[in-house]
Amino acid sequence: MQPKVIATDAALQLIEKLKTKYGPLMFHQSGGCCDGSSPMCYPQGEFMIGNSDVLLGEIGGCPFYMHAAQYEYWKHTQLIIDVVPGRGGMFSLEGSEGVRFLTRSKVLDS
């Protein structure tokens, strides 16, 4: 079975850099609103995970969650977390690095 979420080498390198600065991390795929739909990186425990959040897996040793309603749309895809230049979500830790995490996807084989 293919993992539901993976990360590129660039994303894994950034995760390691952020872990050095902030300690253990976690991710939550934003569903819109203020920061659009993007992977948000937080110090572990600083974003409240609820009963409606689904654990998709781990990237760089960090748990990655998505809201269950959003997961219904994405359940047949693999999320590929990458890094691109620019400013991302204002609440996500990578913002000060001049880059942002970006979610790419591909349809999973049945």
Side-chain angles (χ1 to χ4, degrees):
M1 190 166 156
Q2 297 179 35
K4 290 288 195 176
V5 61
I6 61 173
T8 64
D9 288 341
L12 292 172
Q13 289 173 8
L14 180 57
I15 290 167
E16 287 306 312
K17 182 176 184 179
L18 294 173
K19 283 170 35 177
T20 299
K21 287 175 86 170
Y22 300 104
L25 305 173
M26 62 178 292
F27 286 84
H28 192 277
Q29 177 68 37
S30 173
C33 184
C34 304
D35 291 315
S37 182
S38 60
M40 304 294 286
C41 179
Y42 304 100
Q44 193 152 2
E46 287 201 17
F47 182 88
M48 298 300 292
I49 297 301
N51 292 336
S52 296
D53 290 307
V54 176
L55 176 63
L56 299 183
E58 290 188 354
I59 55 172
C62 307
F64 193 102
Y65 297 89
M66 175 185 280
H67 190 275
Q70 187 178 10
Y71 178 72
E72 280 302 306
Y73 293 105
W74 292 87
K75 65 184 174 184
H76 300 293
T77 63
Q78 179 181 63
L79 302 184
I80 304 157
I81 308 306
D82 200 359
V83 176
V84 295
R87 297 188 70 175
M90 64 182 159
F91 301 114
S92 193
L93 292 177
E94 79 280 5
S96 64
E97 303 296 321
V99 295
R100 64 185 180 94
F101 288 110
L102 176 76
T103 301
R104 302 181 193 280
S105 64
K106 74 174 191 172
V107 175
L108 289 169
D109 298 331
S110 298

